[in-house]
């Protein structure tokens, strides 16, 4: 990717080129390498379901990780954090891990679950799509995104669109979770994640999720994103023809 970026940059007509980026963090990373590049930050769009059927918890905190199963996602840290939380007798919890990955890595995660004694608390549900994915969100209390690095982190937007608060790592560009009071933005080491899980369990999670859903409707719906893209194209045309 780095080689492709440099070749593209060398070939680009910088007077008539604007690079579309999905987050401010991604823009800063890009400008650190190509400081003269014109950029525009427009987030990825997310579909906000018209109706939700959120279920109530049965006194257990229902945690959800959903996404590609890969070392960059910080899943090992999350499992270690959960093994710490498991020793807190005041916190009942379970974790669903949904997604796909290379078989060797998936086997490694399963092995860690057993080694940490989490088999009764953690289930791996494989890849989920469509209605099954919507149902999984609706039967969760908190989504966790402990990635080491994300340019955007689509699952954060998807969870919020379904009315689910999020704990995301500082490797993601989602500091707005705390500004909008719909989640926590923390370091992804096990101790910090465990503390965040305990902390959010005592917060008004349903209200947080609804605030996040309203945020997605205002700023991340496809209508909003499409209008921003149209404005960018119009500006580009004016600059080229002017």
């Amino acid at each position: 990717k780095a080689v492709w970026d440099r070749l593209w940059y060398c070939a680009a007509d910088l007077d008539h080129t604007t690079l579309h980026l999905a987050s401010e963090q991604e823009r800063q990373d890009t400008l650190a390498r190509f400081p003269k590049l014109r950029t525009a930050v427009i987030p990825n769009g997310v579909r906000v379901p018209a109706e939700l059927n959120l279920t109530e918890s049965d006194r257990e905190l229902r945690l959800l990780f959903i996404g590609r199963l890969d070392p960059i996602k910080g899943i090992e840290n999350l499992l270690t954090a959960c093994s710490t939380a498991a020793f807190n007798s005041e916190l009942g919890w379970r974790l669903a891990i949904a997604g796909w990955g290379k078989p060797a890595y998936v086997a490694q995660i399963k092995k860690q679950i057993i080694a940490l004694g989490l088999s009764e608390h953690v289930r791996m549900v494989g890849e989920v799509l469509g209605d099954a994915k919507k149902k999984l969100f609706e039967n969760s209390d908190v989504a966790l995104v402990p990635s080491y690095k994300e340019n955007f982190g689509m699952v954060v937007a998807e969870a919020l669109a379904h009315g689910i608060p999020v704990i995301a790592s500082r490797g993601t560009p989602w500091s707005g979770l705390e500004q909008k009071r719909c989640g926590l933005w923390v370091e992804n080491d096990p101790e910090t994640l465990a503390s965040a899980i305990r902390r959010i369990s005592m917060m008004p999670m349903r209200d947080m999720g609804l605030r996040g859903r309203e945020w997605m409707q205002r700023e991340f719906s496809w209508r909003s994103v499409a209008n921003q893209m149209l404005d960018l194209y119009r500006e580009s045309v004016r600059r080229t023809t002017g």
Side-chain angles (χ1 to χ4, degrees), residues 22-205:
S23 69
E24 184 60 34
Q25 180 175 309
E26 190 175 28
R27 172 157 64 182
Q28 294 304 320
D29 290 345
T30 300
L31 291 178
R33 296 161 63 190
F34 309 123
K36 297 181 180 180
L37 188 64
R38 182 182 292 109
T39 61
V41 175
I42 299 175
N44 294 337
V46 64
R47 188 180 71 84
V48 181
E51 296 182 1
L52 293 178
N53 184 27
L54 298 174
T55 63
E56 296 295 333
S57 172
D58 55 356
R59 293 184 296 181
E60 284 189 321
L61 184 64
R62 300 169 299 177
L63 307 174
L64 173 64
F65 172 91
I66 183 168
R68 181 167 56 93
L69 306 186
D70 185 272
I72 201 172
K73 300 296 184 178
I75 303 170
E76 292 95 337
N77 284 353
L78 174 58
L79 290 173
T80 302
C82 286
S83 71
T84 302
F87 291 105
N88 181 348
S89 60
E90 299 177 359
L91 180 62
W93 63 273
R94 61 180 184 266
L95 168 66
I97 298 178
W100 60 271
K102 294 181 179 179
Y105 183 70
V106 174
Q108 178 181 325
I109 292 299
K110 291 179 178 179
K111 185 176 181 180
Q112 185 185 9
I113 291 170
I114 295 171
L116 292 173
L118 299 177
S119 298
E120 294 185 4
H121 293 275
V122 181
R123 63 188 179 101
M124 299 186 70
V125 300
E127 186 175 17
V128 290
L129 301 169
D131 289 341
K133 187 175 184 179
K134 181 174 182 289
K135 185 175 181 180
L136 188 58
F137 278 123
E138 292 175 341
N139 286 276
S140 300
D141 298 312
V142 183
L144 295 118
V145 186
S147 303
Y148 286 97
K149 181 72 173 178
E150 295 281 356
N151 288 336
F152 184 74
M154 192 65 200
V155 68
V156 177
E158 290 178 328
L160 294 175
H162 285 82
I164 305 302
V166 178
I167 297 174
S169 76
R170 300 202 175 203
T172 74
W174 286 94
S175 59
L177 288 170
E178 302 212 3
Q179 297 165 5
K180 304 293 184 181
R181 297 186 300 139
C182 56
L184 301 176
W185 192 56
V186 300
E187 300 296 341
N188 79 334
D189 61 275
E191 294 78 12
T192 302
L193 288 171
S195 176
I197 291 169
R198 288 192 290 268
R199 184 152 51 105
I200 206 168
S201 71
M202 296 181 285
M203 300 172 76
M205 292 179 286

